[in-house]
Amino acid sequence: KNKTKNRPYNSAAHTFFMANPEHMEMQQNIENYRTMAGVEALQLVDLEARPHLESYSAGVKHYEADDFELAIKYFEQALREYFSEDTECRALCEGPQRFEEYEYLGYKAGLYEAIADHYMQVLVCQHECVRELATRPGRLSPIENFLPLHYDYLQFAYYRVGEYVKALECAKAYLLLHPDDEDVLDNVDYYESLLDDSSDPASIEAREDLAMFVKRHKMESELIKSAAEGLGFSYTEPVRAKREEEMVPSGVNVEGAEVHGLSMGKKSSPKIDRDLREGGPLLYENITFVYNSEQLNGTQRVLLDNVLSEEQCRELHSVASGIMLVGDGYRGKTSPHTPNEKFEGATVLKALKFGYEGRVPLKSARLFYDISEKARKIVESYFMLNSTLYFSYTHMVCRTALSGQQDRRTDLSHPIHADNCLLDPEANECWKEPPAYTFRDYSALLYMNDDFEGGEFIFTEMDAKTVTASIKPKCGRMISFSSGGENPHGVKSSDKEGERTWKVGDAMWRENNWERIQADEVIAILDREQQGKHELNINPKDEL
């Protein structure tokens, strides 16, 4: 009875979370549901799931587990469902349409123009189905290269199970959309060499399902392009050429293979859109290098010690007591990340204003600003960036484990997330779209204490479960990393009440934000005032 009663609520929560993976409160609710007696993972059903996307995701999981028989089963099922949903999507376009660019109140087209106009709007709607079917519920962006990826996965999976004719058909199908892909071209040659004498390679053509689809799509593209010029509307083609960094490597993956032309490797990890470099100078004498990206099992990561001295940690603790506000930065929410901890925070601008007004020592408020600048310079230098980083957000944070709520905790102090995209562990994607802070490039965390248990900072894989590195906080320790899906991270909870974690967090990007500009202006005023005091400090003897 309880299971039946709970299931609709669990499924509704799960459905919401699938579309809003950044929603940390719902993430916590899902974990609570999973740990409830009698509630199994199978009960968490996405009520808005689209069959072809679910089958595709299942195919990817089996592929990555090297279970190629099941991978083939699900990818083939995904294709059948895709083409079925494509037919339905196109049928739904047969109705009234509107181009946003048109001024309909002043529309004066004749009968034949109106017919042509309506037909092209229906055609555009149908042509857009390829984008619609590649977009997960709740997302704005489609999965890049979605339909061709089915054939890319299948060509390799069929090869691994010894179905060389089918592997060749899928590889040739993939080349219909990406004819210059060198890996797949090499694979075609290799698959042809594996065929027995009774098979003629020239007679094996690309899969008919995709061949028909591509033929229709290209004809529609030409029609829409011609009509756009004549009818005066703008249009962006939904199928773009692939970007290499977003692709699954298409080469055959064989342990120890020594065959010419075979490209090793399967699915690559997420990449960021800039040259990856690190190991630049740390700029300051006392800073100790601890671990680089390779040692932290990731990309664009670094761990440093002694960025702050013990004395500076104590001074920041002291100033924090005068400026911290419960829920600061989270619209006043006392416990924005977990109900088991209290959150307090303060921005660098608030600290400087309090210092200027004499409510906290100005020297200590200035230290908060100065260490954030120090962190920025270190990040720019260590990652060898060829452009200046600016601040998106600078925050001093204290998390306190609440009394009576620490026994048998299973949640995290800060759930696994990425800083500039919406982490979607189920889809193994990170969607770079609002409400994520898509403009952020690098992040840095600087710890101020270690007198607590737990609270380790962790990096994970895209599944938000597999921990790749765990870092114990301590005074002066700084963690910095690029802000994208290549670096999912979170914070483990403390298991003792009253434990407090203090840190300063910086998020950096390519433009300055208004609060940092104001903080810079306060510093400039303070510098001018200090300079004025020095100028007025006249030796009395000089006046004689």
Side-chain angles (χ1 to χ4, degrees):
K1 183 177 180 181
N2 287 336
K3 288 185 180 180
T4 304
K5 184 177 180 180
N6 284 332
R7 182 167 184 170
Y9 298 103
N10 298 342
S11 297
H14 183 64
T15 300
F16 177 85
F17 183 63
M18 289 298 96
N20 300 274
E22 78 289 349
H23 199 285
M24 293 179 180
E25 289 178 76
M26 191 57 71
Q27 184 175 353
Q28 180 60 45
N29 290 342
I30 294 293
E31 291 304 315
N32 290 340
Y33 289 143
R34 290 186 189 277
T35 57
M36 287 171 60
V39 176
E40 300 174 0
L42 290 176
Q43 290 180 291
L44 300 180
V45 177
D46 184 356
L47 301 175
E48 291 187 357
R50 307 176 75 173
H52 73 288
L53 287 166
E54 294 297 296
S55 298
Y56 173 80
S57 295
V60 172
K61 288 179 181 178
H62 288 298
Y63 179 96
E64 292 180 337
D66 290 343
D67 190 345
F68 297 107
E69 292 281 2
L70 277 176
I72 290 168
K73 172 187 172 183
Y74 280 104
F75 282 126
E76 291 289 9
Q77 181 175 314
L79 285 171
R80 289 193 297 273
E81 292 165 342
Y82 180 96
F83 290 120
S84 175
E85 291 189 47
D86 178 68
T87 300
E88 181 178 343
C89 177
R90 295 174 69 86
L92 291 173
C93 290
E94 299 284 353
Q97 302 287 333
R98 291 175 68 90
F99 281 135
E100 292 182 3
E101 294 90 340
Y102 279 21
E103 294 290 340
Y104 284 90
L105 292 178
Y107 189 71
K108 297 179 179 178
L111 175 62
Y112 295 111
E113 290 173 309
I115 292 172
D117 193 4
H118 172 74
Y119 173 73
M120 292 315 303
Q121 292 181 68
V122 171
L123 187 60
V124 166
C125 175
Q126 292 175 335
H127 199 65
E128 283 286 304
C129 286
V130 69
R131 180 182 281 136
E132 169 71 18
L133 295 181
T135 305
R136 293 186 181 276
R139 298 273 64 86
L140 302 175
S141 309
I143 299 171
E144 290 284 345
N145 207 45
F146 178 63
L147 182 57
L149 277 177
H150 290 69
Y151 298 90
D152 195 7
Y153 279 116
L154 280 169
Q155 59 93 17
F156 175 77
Y158 274 124
Y159 160 76
R160 287 300 298 268
V161 300
E163 298 265 9
Y164 304 133
V165 172
K166 291 184 177 180
L168 187 55
E169 289 174 341
C170 290
K172 288 185 175 182
Y174 183 83
L175 290 172
L176 292 175
L177 283 168
H178 301 301
D180 299 323
D181 189 299
E182 294 182 2
D183 289 336
V184 179
L185 287 168
D186 289 340
N187 289 352
V188 165
D189 292 338
Y190 180 62
Y191 298 150
E192 289 179 346
S193 73
L194 297 175
L195 299 176
D196 56 41
D197 295 337
S198 62
S199 300
D200 178 13
S203 68
I204 299 172
E205 298 181 349
R207 284 265 294 250
E208 187 177 0
D209 51 4
L210 188 63
M212 295 294 292
F213 184 93
V214 170
K215 181 179 180 181
R216 183 189 69 189
H217 195 86
K218 288 183 176 179
M219 290 176 63
E220 289 177 349
S221 295
E222 291 301 317
L223 278 172
I224 293 171
K225 181 180 177 181
S226 174
E229 296 174 357
L231 297 174
F233 64 89
S234 59
Y235 183 71
T236 303
E237 173 61 38
V239 175
R240 299 200 303 267
K242 70 171 184 175
R243 295 201 299 268
E244 199 63 39
E245 68 272 15
E246 294 171 333
M247 290 298 303
V248 175
S250 303
V252 178
N253 184 354
V254 186
E255 293 292 333
E258 295 182 356
V259 182
H260 176 72
L262 297 192
S263 173
M264 298 300 174
K266 291 194 299 184
K267 188 166 185 177
S268 61
S269 58
K271 295 182 181 179
I272 43 184
D273 55 356
R274 54 184 168 271
D275 293 333
L276 301 183
R277 295 182 296 173
E278 63 177 291
L282 300 178
L283 302 179
Y284 301 89
E285 286 185 4
N286 296 326
I287 294 178
T288 304
F289 170 82
V290 183
Y291 294 133
N292 61 16
S293 294
E294 183 178 359
Q295 293 163 318
L296 291 170
N297 302 312
T299 302
Q300 295 285 275
R301 303 174 180 177
V302 67
L303 179 63
L304 306 171
D305 277 346
N306 302 319
V307 177
L308 285 176
S309 67
E310 293 283 351
E311 182 181 351
Q312 288 174 324
C313 286
R314 288 193 294 270
E315 186 173 354
L316 288 172
H317 274 174
S318 178
V319 74
S321 62
I323 63 174
M324 285 289 187
L325 183 67
V326 173
D328 182 82
Y330 287 88
R331 299 179 182 176
K333 290 185 179 180
T334 303
S335 303
H337 302 303
T338 167
N340 300 309
E341 296 180 9
K342 180 177 73 173
F343 178 97
E344 299 170 274
T347 64
V348 68
L349 179 60
K350 180 180 178 182
L352 287 172
K353 286 182 175 179
F354 275 34
Y356 190 72
E357 294 167 2
R359 298 162 68 178
V360 297
L362 182 55
K363 175 176 171 288
S364 300
R366 176 76 186 247
L367 175 63
F368 183 9
Y369 176 90
D370 289 342
I371 64 163
S372 65
E373 282 292 330
K374 185 177 185 179
R376 178 183 64 81
K377 292 175 182 176
I378 292 169
V379 172
E380 280 183 353
S381 178
Y382 178 78
F383 289 115
M384 306 170 72
L385 304 179
N386 56 12
S387 60
T388 302
L389 283 177
Y390 296 93
F391 288 95
S392 165
Y393 199 55
T394 303
H395 210 210
M396 185 184 293
V397 171
C398 175
R399 288 195 175 110
T400 306
L402 294 176
S403 176
Q405 296 181 211
Q406 305 309 307
D407 292 341
R408 296 188 298 275
R409 277 186 66 180
T410 59
D411 67 325
L412 296 175
S413 175
H414 199 137
I416 304 300
H417 64 286
D419 286 348
N420 73 8
C421 55
L422 306 179
L423 188 63
D424 188 347
E426 294 291 328
N428 205 41
E429 297 276 356
C430 204
W431 305 95
K432 203 161 185 179
E433 58 189 46
Y437 302 107
T438 56
F439 43 80
R440 291 182 177 173
D441 291 308
Y442 283 87
S443 305
L445 297 175
L446 183 55
Y447 286 97
M448 295 152 53
N449 70 320
D450 55 11
D451 54 344
F452 55 89
E453 295 184 18
E456 290 89 353
F457 180 95
I458 54 175
F459 288 110
T460 74
E461 299 283 7
M462 291 275 281
D463 62 7
K465 296 177 182 177
T466 307
V467 176
T468 56
S470 180
I471 299 160
K472 176 69 176 175
K474 71 174 186 177
C475 166
R477 173 161 284 179
M478 187 174 104
I479 307 160
S480 183
F481 48 92
S482 56
S483 303
E486 67 280 357
N487 282 318
H489 58 278
V491 180
K492 289 184 178 180
S493 64
S494 170
D495 55 6
K496 284 191 175 183
E497 61 187 53
E499 299 282 30
R500 310 187 83 188
T501 310
W502 298 82
K503 64 185 176 185
V504 174
D506 284 315
M508 291 167 258
W509 61 316
R510 304 292 167 175
E511 296 181 34
N512 231 336
N513 79 330
W514 70 271
E515 186 166 284
R516 191 69 188 196
I517 292 171
Q518 285 187 304
D520 292 339
E521 290 173 351
V522 172
I523 290 294
I525 292 170
L526 293 174
D527 287 343
R528 286 197 298 271
E529 290 182 353
Q530 190 65 31
Q531 182 65 30
K533 288 179 182 179
H534 288 310
E535 291 174 353
L536 292 172
N537 189 19
I538 302 171
N539 187 331
K541 292 183 180 180
D542 292 339
E543 294 181 318
L544 297 178

